[in-house]
Amino acid sequence: MGRGSRSDGLELETGALKECDLYTGTWVEDGNYPIYQPGSCPYVDEAYDCQINGRTDTHYTKWRWKPHACDLPRFSARDFLVRLKGKRLMLVGDSMNRNQFESILCILREGLQNKSKMYEIHGHKITKGRGYFVFKFEDYNCTVEFVRSHFLVKEGVRTNGQGSSNPTLSIDRIDKTSGRWKRADILVFNTGHWWTHGKTARGINYYKEGDYLYPKFDAVEAYRKAIKTWGKWIDDNINPRKQIVYYRGYSSAHFRGGDWDSGGSCNGETEPVLNGTILNNYPLKMKIVEEVIQGMKVPVKLLNVTRLTNFRKDGHPSVYGKNTMGGKKVSTRRQDCSHWCLPGVPDAWNELIYATLVLQQTNSRN
């Protein structure tokens, strides 16, 4: 069943949608996918441009997310742009959110007749090194923005006894980019991947509260405190009558035989996992996020993509995160099994944002 064959009666669809858990479902093959063709979107940076980088299988682009209890409203890039008219949509987070940001630029671009009517307002090309982008869609007077914030709380540095500087993380203070967050109409936050390795996971002379530096502190507890700090900032600074807040849940990685920095691989995976215990993986981090959101005053929509990403071991760049054309050798030493090829899995996250906006509108009409 393609995008073209789903019912157009949004009223009908949203009746079923209201009762429907959008995040419990499966992936179905759909010949009308992907929404944009590989290599067609100029906003995909090298790390996610798998087919341009030499990946030859394409079946991983042909899947649509299907909740068990309903169909998602048929995706329309033009209608999505109409709903964003006059608004600022901002994604705040780490490189997984940059992955999602590039996806949303590409799917919205499909709704433009004149593709030159969308541009980065400072002329910046999307690269890893830059932490702030603003894309304007001229005909709709809206912007889609990305603000890099690895932890959502404040990163700092301290000088140790030997005079060298070490990073710190203040789990009771919001990140310095938060001044920008206030100005958005729709916000999509994430954090998580930077908590699982290195100094953040070890927690030695790293976490701070006030001026106190903990000699050792548990990373999970630190994550809980950081998410609470974020939740308090949202409660204090966001007006739920005018702004919509999403938290995009943890996206699953699929490393075999090691981790991201120790030879883990996902090379040669061409099909999703359609059954097995991995489909039930649900990290403690997500339970913490749910708890914090439940205790907040401002409603936050949880884009709970963890389970839908569990299926997709086939969707990662693997060895195709770098351009290997022109005779360059594919290095299998370090594979990317946590980010996603574009077009691909993050397009579904953005279809879910669209679905919730459609839903919200019909709820407020009724």
Side-chain angles (χ1 to χ4, degrees), residues 13-27:
E13 287 184 3
T14 44
L17 267 177
K18 269 188 207 125
E19 309 304 314
C20 176
D21 173 2
L22 301 180
Y23 306 101
T24 302
T26 191
W27 292 88

Side-chain angles (χ1 to χ4, degrees), residues 310-323:
N310 285 343
F311 290 86
R312 298 305 308 273
K313 67 178 177 14
D314 56 330
H316 301 290
S318 173
V319 296
Y320 300 108
K322 282 211 161 43
N323 197 317

Side-chain angles (χ1 to χ4, degrees), residues 51-348:
Q51 296 204 315
I52 296 299
N53 293 344
R55 182 169 179 172
T56 53
D57 62 299
T58 56
H59 195 213
Y60 71 92
T61 65
K62 302 284 183 195
W63 298 88
R64 168 169 63 80
W65 176 248
K66 163 80 178 81
H68 288 318
C70 60
D71 264 321
L72 293 179
R74 194 172 79 213
F75 182 74
S76 158
R78 190 159 298 159
D79 184 53
F80 201 161
L81 283 163
V82 168
R83 289 167 194 278
L84 293 177
K85 205 168 190 165
K87 293 189 164 62
R88 297 176 69 166
L89 166 62
M90 185 180 286
L91 289 88
V92 180
D94 56 24
S95 56
M96 301 303 292
N97 251 15
R98 192 178 82 242
N99 211 172
Q100 183 174 357
F101 168 67
E102 292 176 21
S103 156
I104 204 164
L105 293 177
C106 294
I107 61 179
L108 290 174
R109 181 176 181 268
E110 290 298 299
L112 296 178
Q113 273 175 308
N114 180 350
K115 308 269 191 268
S116 69
K117 292 289 192 76
M118 113 181 238
Y119 49 84
E120 208 287 329
I121 61 169
H122 303 105
H124 296 312
K125 190 173 167 358
I126 300 180
T127 58
K128 240 192 193 136
R130 179 173 292 283
Y132 185 47
F133 298 100
V134 180
F135 276 80
K136 186 157 180 75
F137 292 78
E138 223 168 56
D139 295 342
Y140 296 88
N141 187 30
C142 67
T143 59
V144 177
E145 312 181 24
F146 172 69
V147 177
R148 182 170 58 208
S149 174
H150 297 133
F151 302 103
L152 304 180
V153 289
K154 191 172 189 283
E155 294 180 70
V157 276
R158 66 183 182 92
T159 309
N160 68 12
Q162 289 75 48
S164 57
S165 57
N166 295 57
T168 59
L169 194 64
S170 292
I171 47 183
D172 58 341
R173 292 187 189 161
I174 204 70
D175 185 45
K176 63 178 191 306
T177 61
S178 58
R180 288 186 168 137
W181 312 351
K182 283 183 195 164
R183 303 198 287 264
D185 300 288
I186 303 170
L187 284 150
V188 183
F189 291 94
N190 97 298
T191 183
H193 288 266
W194 281 63
W195 294 84
T196 53
H197 49 256
K199 297 176 180 64
T200 318
R202 285 194 297 277
I204 295 165
N205 293 327
Y206 177 71
Y207 291 113
K208 278 178 81 171
E209 280 196 273
D211 291 330
Y212 181 69
L213 178 72
Y214 287 100
K216 184 154 179 32
F217 197 79
D218 177 61
V220 173
E221 233 9 77
Y223 184 80
R224 188 188 307 275
K225 285 189 181 246
I227 295 293
K228 281 188 171 158
T229 298
W230 167 81
K232 184 180 183 319
W233 186 92
I234 295 290
D235 277 348
D236 292 347
N237 290 280
I238 293 296
N239 177 350
R241 283 191 297 281
K242 296 191 171 142
Q243 292 161 295
I244 302 174
V245 180
Y246 291 92
Y247 185 96
R248 199 244 320 129
Y250 193 73
S251 157
S252 300
H254 296 84
F255 290 97
R256 296 185 310 254
D259 207 346
W260 67 281
D261 54 354
S262 57
S265 74
C266 51
N267 193 14
E269 298 288 2
T270 57
E271 299 290 322
V273 188
L274 291 172
N275 51 44
T277 52
I278 185 175
L279 298 184
N280 299 320
N281 282 2
Y282 197 65
L284 177 57
K285 280 200 200 76
M286 286 308 302
K287 296 182 179 123
I288 290 170
V289 167
E290 284 191 41
E291 273 165 35
V292 171
I293 287 175
Q294 275 158 10
M296 288 169 63
K297 295 199 302 276
V298 170
V300 171
K301 295 177 190 295
L302 181 59
L303 267 188
N304 203 344
V305 302
T306 302
R307 290 200 176 92
L308 70 91
T309 58
N310 285 343
F311 290 86
R312 298 305 308 273
K313 67 178 177 14
D314 56 330
H316 301 290
S318 173
V319 296
Y320 300 108
K322 282 211 161 43
N323 197 317
T324 56
M325 307 308 265
K328 274 190 270 180
K329 207 164 105 3
V330 174
S331 157
T332 53
R333 214 179 67 234
R334 207 172 241 204
Q335 300 191 11
D336 183 351
C337 308
S338 50
H339 297 96
W340 303 97
C341 294
L342 294 178
V345 172
D347 301 333

Side-chain angles (χ1 to χ4, degrees), residues 1-8 13 30 32 64 71 74:
M1 190 166 98
R3 273 182 292 154
S5 59
R6 282 187 255 174
S7 78
D8 277 333
E13 287 184 3
D30 188 331
N32 289 339
R64 168 169 63 80
D71 264 321
R74 194 172 79 213

